[in-house]
Amino acid sequence: MGHGPMDGLRSLERQRTARFEAQILAHLDSAYRLARFLLRDAAAAKDAVQDACVRAFSAFDQMQGPDARSWFLAVVRNVCMDLLRERRHRAHDEEYDDDEHGGAAGSGLVPPATPEELAMRASDSRWLREAIEKLPKDYREVIVLRELEELSYKEISAIVDIPIGTVMSRLARARDLLQSRARGAYREQRR
Amino acid sequence: MNCAMAVRMLDAHLDNEVDAATAADVASHLAGCPACAAAHEERLALRNAIRAANLREGAPEGLRESVMRAVRARSARRIPSRVVQWWQALALAGCAALAGLIGGWWVAQPQVLEDLPAIVVAHHVASLTPSGPRVEVASSDRHVVRPWFQGRAEFAPTVRDLKDQGFELIGARRDSIRGREAVAVVYRLRGHFISVYSWRRSDGAHSELDTTVRGFNVVQWSDRDLDYAAVSDVDGVELKRLVAAIRS
């Protein structure tokens, strides 16, 4: 093979693939964690991330730079939301029926529990993972993006496509719910 | 700062999302209020618990490899199987230039741009280049098109996947309608391009309206805080079908 225009194209594509690997796949772990917590299913999360990567690759030229991670996570989240919507169509998804209204955690001041109670549950990481997985989706995603990925409110607002004030109120509610469940679980254990 | 205010700022304070002055206010309130201090303690304990639980598992083994395989396969498909010959390119360019000249002459006939339909038609026509409509993000994937506007426009446009109804998503671009920031989402139906403009509403909702300007059909409507105008040379019935699908 000589040096025709095709060789130039091939080498451009190789460079593009390498850039994609460096800039987008660097966030593969974050993408998987987000998908895993949103879908609550390891196999589905793998497929969703792969799907999102191929979509992101097709549009990669238009999105680079410091916002690459937020953009990529937004693509991952969108793919997951579509899967969840499909799931809900197929069966009655039990997405929103867990105790959104339960627990002592209303708005405002939460009756203080001792930090020891929480520390008690903390030693049990499986319990904590399940507690997060049981949160309604809107609260689950902001907790995962904030506590696991340590993203700023601004980045979360861009990924979830909600105002910054809503990021703040959902985080507060998510933490209230986790705390009240930790307290509930602790009391149950002592009974 | 009172308790209600402190509680409201507790999470933002914990997440370092408040300015220095507010942080100082919250800290001084916590120092003097045992109830709020306990609530803050509990938040800290929860955060430490989550960090200690080490929930940051990595992607499973093999995912990276399988992603890269899929990406390379996609990449290979982007390389055309053959290169266009020079005379083919020349013939194509000639045709495009001729079409552009004729279209340009017709469109350039002087017009007074006063009403909205005329304005969106002018913008739509200006976006049509010989190589297709001008778009800043070119993708048939709405999951790619919508997030592209994050941080680039003051609102994100409605983007629908209407492939099964025959409307192919081409991409989107930013524009300005009567000095207001607008976004145009571009669809294609059988070779006809359709621009769907949206912008933040400034006054009352404008009434639903369809009209024809210089052979282009225009459908206007409002939804929540956005005004919309769809414009295309496609048949008026088809344009209304697209609008109905977008609004559904």
Side-chain angles (χ1 to χ4, degrees):
Chain A
M1 282 201 107
H3 284 281
M6 302 299 285
D7 293 323
L9 275 178
R10 272 194 207 96
S11 122
L12 272 178
E13 271 303 304
R14 263 199 304 278
Q15 286 170 24
R16 190 171 180 276
T17 311
R19 268 204 326 270
F20 177 79
E21 198 169 3
Q23 293 181 19
I24 299 294
L25 283 206
H27 308 296
L28 191 69
D29 287 348
S30 299
Y32 177 73
R33 281 192 288 268
L34 178 62
R36 178 86 171 73
F37 272 103
L38 278 175
L39 300 172
R40 300 191 276 217
D41 176 342
K46 256 173 91 166
D47 290 348
V49 169
Q50 171 138 355
D51 185 9
C53 285
V54 172
R55 286 164 189 262
F57 180 72
S58 308
F60 177 54
D61 295 327
Q62 292 147 14
M63 185 63 231
Q64 284 179 52
D67 294 331
R69 176 170 65 171
S70 297
W71 174 76
F72 177 45
L73 290 182
V75 174
V76 170
R77 178 182 178 274
N78 282 336
V79 169
C80 291
M81 296 308 289
D82 263 7
L83 287 173
L84 287 176
R85 226 168 281 135
E86 249 169 61
R87 251 192 227 173
R88 215 165 9 224
H89 275 300
R90 259 184 278 127
H92 290 288
D93 197 51
E94 281 138 40
E95 181 75 33
Y96 287 99
D97 73 357
D98 35 40
D99 48 352
E100 246 197 279
H101 312 285
S107 51
L109 252 179
V110 180
T114 63
E116 292 79 60
E117 285 182 9
L118 263 168
M120 182 77 198
R121 300 314 320 170
S123 56
D124 188 350
S125 71
R126 186 137 48 99
W127 181 87
L128 201 48
R129 165 180 288 280
E130 273 170 20
I132 293 175
E133 280 183 348
K134 276 186 200 145
L135 286 176
K137 187 225 98 213
D138 286 352
Y139 303 130
R140 206 185 322 143
E141 61 187 359
V142 293
I143 272 288
V144 167
L145 292 173
R146 174 64 215 150
E147 297 294 11
L148 269 52
E149 305 311 328
E150 299 179 21
L151 297 176
S152 71
Y153 285 11
K154 193 162 168 249
E155 289 167 307
I156 298 173
S157 134
I159 293 167
V160 182
D161 201 8
I162 50 175
I164 286 182
T166 311
V167 173
M168 186 165 94
S169 59
R170 283 192 189 170
L171 266 175
R173 181 83 181 114
R175 286 165 172 156
D176 284 347
L177 281 170
L178 287 174
Q179 286 170 358
S180 82
R181 280 168 193 183
R183 254 178 261 129
Y186 176 73
R187 283 180 198 128
E188 214 162 86
Q189 200 183 47
R190 298 196 77 181
R191 220 166 265 157
Chain B
M1 182 175 278
N2 60 19
C3 288
M5 179 79 96
V7 165
R8 209 168 51 229
M9 299 311 295
L10 209 55
D11 289 278
H13 175 67
L14 185 80
D15 295 322
N16 286 326
E17 296 271 353
V18 293
D19 56 71
T22 313
D25 280 355
V26 175
S28 80
H29 177 85
L30 292 179
C33 172
C36 288
H40 183 243
E41 275 300 301
E42 201 179 2
R43 282 284 198 264
L44 278 176
L46 177 68
R47 160 160 297 170
N48 292 336
I50 294 176
R51 300 247 157 108
N54 197 19
L55 302 175
R56 293 174 47 94
E57 64 171 323
E61 214 173 306
L63 180 57
R64 193 186 181 89
E65 289 68 31
S66 93
V67 163
M68 283 314 290
R69 264 198 305 280
V71 161
R72 282 198 198 93
R74 177 57 65 103
S75 171
R77 247 182 291 154
R78 290 164 53 90
I79 300 173
S81 52
R82 69 196 190 93
V83 177
V84 177
Q85 299 294 317
W86 67 269
W87 59 268
Q88 290 172 316
L90 200 68
L92 262 173
C95 287
L98 192 63
L101 270 177
I102 295 171
W105 170 80
W106 183 66
V107 161
Q109 296 307 299
Q111 300 277 337
V112 183
L113 297 183
E114 52 207 0
D115 60 341
L116 194 64
I119 294 172
V120 290
V121 166
H123 280 259
H124 172 69
V125 169
S127 76
L128 299 173
T129 70
S131 54
R134 187 175 67 79
V135 287
E136 290 178 285
V137 48
S139 173
S140 60
D141 187 340
R142 70 192 177 89
H143 292 323
V144 165
V145 173
R146 202 176 135 85
W148 185 84
F149 285 94
Q150 282 167 11
R152 288 189 169 87
E154 58 174 11
F155 62 95
T158 310
V159 184
R160 299 262 186 203
D161 182 0
L162 301 168
K163 213 176 297 156
D164 41 335
Q165 299 182 49
F167 299 101
E168 186 193 346
L169 179 61
I170 301 297
R173 65 175 175 272
R174 285 167 296 183
D175 211 324
S176 149
I177 299 288
R178 278 180 168 157
R180 300 187 67 81
E181 184 179 350
V183 164
V185 180
V186 182
Y187 299 89
R188 176 165 60 194
L189 179 71
R190 297 187 307 267
H192 297 275
F193 293 105
I194 305 165
S195 294
V196 179
Y197 287 93
S198 52
W199 60 92
R200 277 254 164 84
R201 189 159 60 235
S202 54
D203 36 27
H206 63 76
S207 48
E208 278 168 42
L209 183 75
D210 57 277
T211 175
T212 304
V213 180
R214 285 191 288 163
F216 289 88
N217 291 305
V218 180
V219 177
Q220 287 171 251
W221 76 98
S222 296
D223 192 11
R224 290 193 211 137
D225 56 339
L226 296 182
D227 280 341
Y228 292 83
V231 50
S232 176
D233 58 346
V234 80
D235 186 70
V237 176
E238 298 280 33
L239 189 61
K240 275 183 214 153
R241 189 163 69 83
L242 172 70
V243 170
I246 291 172
R247 299 186 69 175
S248 69

